[in-house]
Amino acid sequence: MIVGAAELSAFAATALRATGASGHDADLTAEVLVAADLAGVDSHGVARLRRYVEGLREGTIDGLASPEVVRDHGAVAVVDAHNGLGQPALCFAMDLAVERARAQGVAAVAVRRSNHIGIAGWYTERAARAGMFAIATTNATPQVAPSGAGEPMFGTDPISYAVPSTDGPLCFDAATSIVPRGKLERLRREGRPMRPGWAVGPDGESATDIPAVVAGLKARAGFALLPLGGLGEEYGGHKGSGLGLLAELLCGPLAGARWSKHTYDESGAGLGQFVLCLDLGALGEPDVVAGEVHRLAAEVRSARPANPEVPVRMPGDRRRRSARQRAADGIPLLPAVVTDLAKIAALTGIRPLQAKDGDG
């Protein structure tokens, strides 16, 4: 099914409002979800809408919560999301960091008692368009076994950074695990296999049965994804573990939030997030810095490719290409996602999603 971005965003926002989210928060959350679908990051798009709708209906997400600054030290602040939707909370934190960095050159904001935020790159790109170098990270439920561990202890804990460039923000956004669980869910929907070395089972051996791995991760039944670098230290798994630990520290103890083994309980989520903004104007002339970033990126793209048929790619190149194409042609939704959205429509009593120009 091919759908237009505007129609998909309106559907998601309407579903969220119908289950108790405020209009502003519903619209913003829908925007972030559809931005992921436009960018080709389908694992973090409207395929995630059901978890928000269910959380709002069950009361584990407060759709009317407002993020609040609870600690304020000028360049450093802490925001309590009050168990509201994660997208509005992190957007509030990032905008606050941008405002403070404009005044002081640099600012950091931590978020506690939050929920799932969608794609981290949406927030860092927002800050980069405001003239900032920005970093954002979040923790999540335990799904990754640190180097040497036989059970999941960390979330997939994405780290994103973005910086202004003369041709638009240069943005990196990736999990600190080899693969995020959302990608496994997408492969399952597409009927495609997963690779050996991405995950292990309770016996510590490589696991490649996607339904079993996804179910085992959700049930905390001993399955685990592996950190960047994989199992052990031979290919740098300990380095991936160190990046995951960085995210857990920034988003857990340092934010006054829970860390991965404790993020969710019967009352809902207690996720933490962390953002940092550095004003380019504090470093030099912003246009000059952005121009130098562009020159660096252009040099990297012009490097001799290892495979002549595969061009050298910079972070965000594929997402931008996908966004241009899908904005023009529509967003393709897999049958499993279409079925799920139809169930959401029936559950919330809203109008079902329609295909773009009659496409099915």
Side-chain angles (χ1 to χ4, degrees):
M1 183 177 181
I2 307 297
V3 299
E7 290 75 16
L8 187 58
S9 184
F11 174 86
T14 302
L16 292 167
R17 283 196 293 270
T19 45
S22 70
H24 170 271
D25 288 3
D27 290 344
L28 180 61
T29 300
E31 180 182 346
V32 178
L33 290 175
V34 175
D37 283 314
L38 279 169
V41 190
D42 302 325
S43 59
H44 284 61
V46 294
R48 298 281 183 130
L49 180 60
R50 188 181 187 90
R51 73 183 290 180
Y52 303 153
V53 167
E54 290 179 346
L56 290 165
R57 282 173 56 86
E58 295 166 3
T60 55
I61 299 176
D62 184 351
L64 300 178
S66 296
E68 176 189 9
V69 176
V70 292
R71 295 185 66 84
D72 192 340
H73 290 268
V76 179
V78 178
V79 170
D80 190 331
H82 293 300
N83 201 31
L85 288 160
Q87 286 86 349
L90 190 55
C91 187
F92 175 88
M94 184 61 83
D95 288 352
L96 178 63
V98 168
E99 176 188 337
R100 299 289 177 89
R102 280 203 183 110
Q104 302 175 95
V106 64
V109 179
V111 184
R112 60 179 64 154
R113 292 210 294 168
S114 187
N115 276 281
H116 188 262
I117 61 165
I119 51 171
W122 186 89
Y123 308 91
T124 54
E125 284 197 353
R126 181 182 178 91
R129 287 192 292 270
M132 302 287 155
F133 168 78
I135 296 175
T137 185
T138 181
N139 60 12
T141 54
Q143 299 174 75
V144 180
S147 184
E151 62 175 313
M153 300 294 290
F154 296 162
T156 52
D157 296 353
I159 295 175
S160 175
Y161 62 80
V163 62
S165 174
T166 52
D167 63 347
L170 175 65
C171 177
F172 172 85
D173 181 6
T176 53
S177 56
I178 286 182
V179 63
R181 193 181 83 189
K183 183 170 182 178
L184 299 186
E185 293 170 340
R186 187 185 72 199
L187 292 176
R188 180 179 61 180
R189 290 191 294 267
E190 295 173 348
R192 295 165 56 196
M194 63 181 287
R195 293 181 180 273
W198 284 1
V200 293
D203 58 0
E205 299 296 324
S206 181
T208 57
D209 183 333
I210 292 183
V213 172
V214 171
L217 289 170
K218 288 181 178 179
R220 302 190 184 184
F223 286 82
L225 301 173
L226 293 175
L228 286 169
L231 190 66
E233 299 185 6
E234 184 177 2
Y235 295 102
H238 59 299
K239 299 177 183 179
S241 292
L243 291 174
L245 177 59
L246 172 65
E248 291 292 342
L249 289 169
L250 291 172
C251 301
L254 272 65
R258 305 178 203 162
W259 52 95
S260 286
K261 292 200 77 173
H262 312 283
T263 49
Y264 282 85
D265 60 23
E266 63 280 356
S267 66
L271 300 181
Q273 285 104 33
F274 177 88
V275 301
L276 182 143
C277 284
L278 176 61
D279 186 7
L280 261 62
L283 300 171
E285 290 298 323
D287 290 346
V288 173
V289 177
E292 291 295 277
V293 171
H294 175 73
R295 286 184 57 206
L296 186 158
E299 284 186 3
V300 174
R301 290 189 183 98
S302 67
R304 178 177 57 84
N307 180 346
E309 297 182 1
V310 181
V312 178
R313 197 176 72 212
M314 289 293 286
D317 285 355
R318 182 170 56 187
R319 294 194 300 273
R320 281 193 297 272
R321 188 163 56 246
S322 173
R324 287 194 296 268
Q325 178 182 345
R326 291 186 173 192
D329 301 337
I331 297 170
L333 299 178
L334 292 170
V337 176
V338 174
T339 299
D340 204 37
L341 296 181
K343 291 178 180 178
I344 290 173
L347 185 68
T348 58
I350 67 174
R351 182 174 179 267
L353 186 66
Q354 302 297 308
K356 182 177 186 289
D357 299 328
D359 291 336

